[in-house]
Amino acid sequence: MNIMLFHSTYGLRPAVRDAAERLRAAGHEVWTPDLFEGRTFETVEEGMVFNDGIGKDELLKRAVLAAAPYSDRGLVYAGFSLGASVAQTLALGDEKARGLLLLHGTSDIAANASVDDLPVQLHVAEPDQFETDDWLSSWYLQMGKAGADVEIYRYAGAGHLYTDPGLPDYDEEAAEATWHVALGFLETL
């Protein structure tokens, strides 16, 4: 599978590169575009300030430019938190998308979004301050209405970015369970 993996608001940290290597070891081709052009952050607040300075349109432009050379191959879009939001937006706009793997995040869905049974898998903490229960219920219904085939996995007690060993949110058990399920999902695409 060809996977475009987007980083979180912390930037292209070692955990993203490690995730890409894990996916490559499972036989996938993976790209990890650096939407922050080399900047990484120690706190989510610092990353959000930087991201706000770039703006959503510029961030999506960078993501589209990174994915465009490979989109004819039929990409699986994937991402962590902010990167999941970016991945979702690109996948819903790419008729050749093969799948969508969301780790720790979702995004708004355009009212006219339409896909043909796009396989989607979401992994989030429970509870998650950025992905509340009400939000996820609405998101799930909207994704279904758009034509996506959605699976949601919740991890009780884990922190928001629980797959990143370099952050306080890290939860080894939840992270390994996530990777086990996610790798199985990718094998079905």
Side-chain angles (χ1 to χ4, degrees):
M1 208 46 46
N2 297 300
I3 302 171
M4 186 65 53
L5 180 63
F6 294 103
H7 61 75
S8 75
T9 195
Y10 286 91
L12 188 55
R13 295 170 41 81
V16 179
R17 291 187 182 94
D18 292 346
E21 286 308 313
R22 184 186 290 240
L23 294 167
R24 289 181 186 112
H28 304 290
E29 190 162 356
V30 184
W31 296 273
T32 55
D34 187 348
L35 303 180
F36 287 177
E37 300 175 333
R39 298 285 308 269
T40 59
F41 301 95
E42 295 298 316
T43 69
V44 68
E45 292 81 12
E46 291 171 351
M48 290 171 77
V49 166
F50 182 78
N51 180 49
D52 289 346
I54 292 172
K56 185 176 182 177
D57 290 344
E58 176 62 23
L59 191 71
L60 287 174
K61 177 182 167 189
R62 292 176 184 185
V64 167
L65 289 173
Y70 311 103
S71 63
D72 279 347
R73 299 180 187 196
L75 291 171
V76 172
Y77 291 92
F80 297 94
S81 193
L82 169 70
S85 170
V86 170
Q88 177 186 306
T89 300
L90 268 59
L92 292 179
D94 181 353
E95 63 187 30
K96 293 182 180 179
R98 300 280 305 274
L100 177 58
L101 176 60
L102 303 171
L103 302 163
H104 322 295
T106 60
S107 183
D108 293 330
I109 301 164
N112 64 346
S114 177
V115 293
D116 188 17
D117 293 323
L118 179 71
V120 178
Q121 193 174 85
L122 169 64
H123 297 266
V124 290
E126 182 178 33
D128 187 313
Q129 72 270 26
F130 299 108
E131 302 290 325
T132 65
D133 290 342
D134 288 346
W135 168 261
L136 286 175
S137 294
S138 175
W139 175 86
Y140 178 81
L141 292 171
Q142 289 177 47
M143 285 295 279
K145 183 179 174 187
D149 180 15
V150 180
E151 299 175 351
I152 300 177
Y153 294 85
R154 306 287 307 265
Y155 299 87
H160 174 66
L161 253 169
Y162 64 82
T163 59
D164 188 330
L167 297 175
D169 286 349
Y170 182 61
D171 183 312
E172 183 177 10
E173 185 177 333
E176 287 307 312
T178 294
W179 285 116
H180 176 76
V181 172
L183 288 170
F185 169 71
L186 292 169
E187 289 301 316
T188 69
L189 303 179

